[in-house]
Every structure is written in structure tokens, then in C-alpha cells.
Amino acid sequence: LEEQSMKEQLVEALEDRTVDNRGERPVFISSTNLFVYIKGSITRCTNLTKGKPFLQLYQAFSESLRKYSQILNGKLPKAISAPSTLPGISIAGLGSKSNTSGTDTSLSESYKIPKGEEVTVCHVISTCEYCTDTVEALEELIRDLIEPKYQGKIDMMADQELFHDLTAKSIRVLVSGLTNRVEDFGLKQMSSMNWGQWESVGEESDYVRVLHQELEPFVTTVRSLLPTSYFRAFCDKFAASFTSTYFETALKLKRISEPGTQQLLLDVYNLKTLFLKLPVLEESKGTTTTALKKPGGGSTIAPAMYTKLVSKQFGKIETLLKLVGTPTDMLIENFKMQWVGGTTADLTTVMTLKQIKRPEQVALLEKFGLDPAKALKGATMGISSTNLMTERVQAVTSDLNNMRQKVDDFRKSFR
């Protein structure tokens, strides 16, 4: 009877998106109802027995929680068929394509979030956190009440892990969804502009304003709904994803004139300024602009490690653009100074964006220190293939992954 009642609750939860706002964070009311029922079920059972029937009831609880995690997963947007275009990256810059567990395919999936559905994804995350905390308390309660000979069989760590894993996936969905959104509504516009014929520098480009319009309301909504630790994780991962995607987009531009590089540098500065304040953005009441003040006296300064990550990754983009805008006769000298550890592949990427003719590329590669035969091969590769772009994106991704791992390790040390 208890199992059947829980099954009925799970069926109702499939389509129910009603939110319980009584706690610190909004959660699906189906989760609070499920745990209220479980608590009542424990009371009814222990009034009769604390032996094997209670152990069987505990097992039924565990099975119901597993099914409930699947229901929450079903509330997330479905993965789209097209994977990330970034070579060696799973969700637009979130990590390596390898998956040692072999079980979480979401690491290699891409997502699109319909307007407003980011709220639902945030509710899934908050509900998972609520379930994780409540399952821990539930395990302690059952172990205290059940007969001693069965106490060793009470272990709900696997149930908690289900909700931890779903939380991680949900954050990836948010990052992937916003990355795809800015690609569709901003970076495609950037790609379509004729940067090779750009003649003058003005205010930020139209695509930058579009990016602001897409980013700011999404981020402020997520900030208002997620616990601080999860929101910071979202910001870290999205900043890494966006900078990788922007770098890739820049590499795909066929040619960039000197005024074009100056305009792009202005755009990048604008975007870097936006990203440096993303973790502390607040929507201004009654407007579509954002402010930095957080109710309740919250910090208006982004975390130091996040600021370091953003500055480093935008710095790579700025270096690329500055070198593309450098006069050819000064390119090798400036490249050695500005691109520390830069390779011949990096140099060839810059020359390709400058549309330097092949014979001149060969001469510059020789000046860089390459022997004539390899210089000719390098120049040919730079003109005829995308291998160099792929190599650079993978290198940037590796740096991003290392930085994000340091951030994750730092945070775990305080848990």
C-alpha cells in the first residue's frame, strides 16, 4: 500500500511544475510532498515494527527517490542532435571529451533552452539540493529507528549521488543553453560582418549589444534562483565556454583589417567588462539594465579566482587581435614579446587572418626560426586547412580546463 501510494505521487510529479516557495529557495512541491509522505510512512511503520518490514520499506523509499531523480531529469530540455563545434570539447568548453565513467552522455551533448525555461532548470537544481540534504537526514532517522541488526544495511549515499549528478548536469545544461543562445543571436552576426573591409572604429558593434541583451537577463535570473556556490560554478563554466567560443569565432573570420582589429578589440574590452561583473549582476527594478547592488548587503565584487580566469582568457583573445593588427614588418618581434610560448602554428594563424600571401608567410616563418622546408609547409597548411585553428582551440580549452579544475579543487577544500 505504501509503495503504491508513492508510485501515485511520482505519476503526479511527472507533469507537475508547481513550485514551493516557503523555503530559502524555490523547489518543486512534488519533492516536499514526497518527503512528507515518507516521514508519515515511517511513523506508521515503526508504530507496528522496526524489523524486516521497515527494512523493506526503506528499500522502497530508495527506489522511489531513484525514480524521482529521473522525473527531475525529464524536466530539463532535451539534448539537441548537433554536438559542440569545438574540437575536443564536450559542452562548448566545459571539459574534455573523455568520460571515464562511461555513463553520463550529457558531457558530450549540447542543449538549447527556450526563453524562460532557464527558470525550470534552476528549480531542478534547487530541488536536487533540497533532496540531497533531506536524504541525508532521512538516512540518519531510519538508522536510528530500525533494529540494530539492520543498521548496517542503511546506506543512502547512492541516492544522494543521483541528485548530485543531476545538479552537475543541470549546470552544464544552463551553460550550454546560454552558449548556444549567444551563438545564435550574437556571434553569428559577428561572423557575417565584413571585417576585412572595416574602415573606421566607433562604438561597440551591434552584435555586442545583442550579447548584452541575451546575457544579462539570463544571468540575473539564474543568480536570483540558485544557491551562491552553484551560481559561481555556472559563472566559471560559462565564462570559460564563452571565451573559447569567441576565440573560435575570431579564428573563423576570413580576414581582419587593421581598423577591424581595433573595432574587435573595443568589442572585446566591452565584453570583458561585462563578464568581470557577471557574478554580481542584479536586474534593476523596472528596467532592462543591470545594477551591481545585491539585496541584503551581498558582495558587489566578483570572486578573485573568477576575475583571474576571465582576465586570462580574454587576454588571449586580445593578444590574437593585437597581433593581427600589427604591421607585417613588426609582426615577428611583437609576436615573440606578446605571445609567450607561441608556436609556429600560432604565428601562422595570425598571418592567415592578416591574409599575408604565401611567399611572405614563408619568409616570416624563416625569420621566426623555422628552416625553409618547414616554413613552406607551415605556410601551405595555414592557407589550406583548419588544422591550425583546431590546434589553437584545443590549446585554449586545455588552459580553461586546468583553470577550472583549480577553481573546483579550491572550493572543495572549504566544504
Side-chain angles (χ1 to χ4, degrees):
L1 181 60
E2 299 287 0
E3 285 188 67
Q4 182 59 36
S5 297
M6 283 189 286
K7 286 180 181 178
E8 291 174 0
Q9 285 203 355
L10 293 173
V11 170
E12 292 177 3
L14 282 170
E15 300 299 331
D16 188 3
R17 293 197 174 195
T18 307
V19 172
D20 186 343
N21 290 297
R22 291 174 294 179
E24 183 179 353
R25 299 284 172 185
V27 300
F28 291 117
I29 200 168
S30 55
S31 64
T32 57
N33 288 344
L34 179 61
F35 282 107
V36 167
Y37 183 85
I38 287 174
K39 184 177 180 181
S41 181
I42 290 174
T43 301
R44 289 189 292 274
C45 181
T46 53
N47 283 337
L48 301 174
T49 177
K50 297 181 180 179
K52 189 172 182 178
F54 188 26
L55 177 65
Q56 293 171 332
L57 185 60
Y58 148 75
Q59 294 167 342
F61 294 157
S62 184
E63 177 64 15
S64 294
L65 290 169
R66 182 185 67 80
K67 291 179 179 178
Y68 186 67
S69 71
Q70 295 173 346
I71 289 172
L72 291 178
N73 183 65
K75 296 183 186 297
L76 298 175
K78 304 300 181 186
I80 57 179
S81 56
S84 165
T85 58
L86 293 180
I89 303 176
S90 44
I91 299 179
L94 288 185
S96 69
K97 59 184 176 182
S98 62
N99 179 13
T100 55
S101 69
T103 57
D104 190 356
T105 58
S106 69
L107 287 171
S108 58
E109 290 174 338
S110 183
Y111 298 85
K112 288 195 175 184
I113 302 177
K115 292 283 187 179
E117 279 301 296
E118 59 270 20
V119 173
T120 299
V121 180
C122 291
H123 288 162
V124 170
I125 293 173
S126 295
T127 301
C128 284
E129 183 188 43
Y130 166 74
C131 289
T132 300
D133 293 342
T134 309
V135 165
E136 183 177 3
L138 179 63
E139 178 184 350
E140 293 178 2
L141 175 63
I142 294 174
R143 188 179 289 114
D144 288 343
L145 291 176
I146 204 166
E147 290 181 1
K149 64 180 180 179
Y150 295 118
Q151 288 178 348
K153 296 181 180 294
I154 307 303
D155 183 359
M156 304 191 79
M157 180 65 69
D159 302 298
Q160 288 182 288
E161 286 301 316
L162 288 173
F163 294 108
H164 280 308
D165 291 345
L166 185 53
T167 297
K169 176 184 176 180
S170 299
I171 292 174
R172 292 195 296 271
V173 170
L174 284 174
V175 172
S176 178
L178 184 53
T179 300
N180 281 319
R181 190 177 292 184
V182 297
E183 281 190 273
D184 289 342
F185 293 99
L187 296 185
K188 283 185 179 179
Q189 183 178 345
M190 171 188 169
S191 299
S192 67
M193 298 166 71
N194 190 351
W195 295 102
Q197 299 297 320
W198 206 270
E199 296 180 351
S200 61
V201 181
E203 297 181 345
E204 70 274 3
S205 302
D206 288 342
Y207 81 88
V208 174
R209 288 187 281 272
V210 172
L211 290 174
H212 275 259
Q213 292 166 6
E214 294 298 329
L215 284 172
E216 293 181 5
F218 190 107
V219 172
T220 53
T221 295
V222 171
R223 187 189 185 200
S224 69
L225 294 172
L226 289 190
T228 300
S229 60
Y230 294 139
F231 176 67
R232 286 184 177 179
F234 161 77
C235 287
D236 290 343
K237 293 178 185 296
F238 177 66
S241 174
F242 178 85
T243 49
S244 288
T245 306
Y246 192 98
F247 192 90
E248 180 200 16
T249 303
L251 291 178
K252 288 181 179 179
L253 300 177
K254 293 181 179 179
R255 180 176 179 272
I256 310 176
S257 67
E258 186 172 345
T261 61
Q262 297 304 315
Q263 181 64 53
L264 283 168
L265 281 168
L266 177 64
D267 294 343
V268 168
Y269 177 79
N270 182 294
L271 290 170
K272 181 170 70 172
T273 302
L274 170 63
F275 270 79
L276 286 172
K277 64 184 182 182
L278 272 191
V280 291
L281 278 181
E282 279 285 332
E283 186 172 0
S284 297
K285 193 171 183 180
T287 72
T288 57
T289 59
T290 54
L292 298 183
K293 186 176 181 181
K294 183 175 175 65
S299 174
T300 60
I301 302 175
M305 294 190 73
Y306 170 84
T307 299
K308 183 178 179 181
L309 168 68
V310 168
S311 298
K312 180 179 179 180
Q313 299 312 322
F314 273 102
K316 292 177 183 293
I317 300 170
E318 290 170 331
T319 296
L320 172 68
L321 294 173
K322 287 176 182 178
L323 289 170
V324 172
T326 297
T328 302
D329 60 345
M330 300 175 60
L331 180 59
I332 299 302
E333 180 182 356
N334 286 6
F335 181 83
K336 289 179 177 179
M337 288 190 300
Q338 296 180 27
W339 201 316
V340 179
T343 65
T344 54
D346 301 322
L347 177 57
T348 308
T349 299
V350 173
M351 293 190 296
T352 300
L353 288 172
K354 288 174 69 66
Q355 286 288 287
I356 295 176
K357 295 183 183 299
R358 191 180 305 179
E360 194 172 0
Q361 285 200 29
V362 174
L364 288 170
L365 286 171
E366 289 180 12
K367 185 178 179 181
F368 184 62
L370 218 59
D371 67 65
K374 289 184 178 179
L376 179 60
K377 182 180 178 181
T380 303
M381 291 270 301
I383 296 296
S384 63
S385 78
T386 58
N387 290 343
L388 297 171
M389 183 192 74
T390 298
E391 181 179 330
R392 283 308 313 143
V393 174
Q394 288 175 329
V396 171
T397 302
S398 176
D399 288 344
L400 292 171
N401 290 339
N402 291 336
M403 179 67 74
R404 287 195 300 277
Q405 187 60 53
K406 290 179 182 178
V407 172
D408 291 340
D409 292 344
F410 180 79
R411 285 189 177 146
K412 287 178 182 177
S413 68
F414 286 91
R415 288 180 180 174

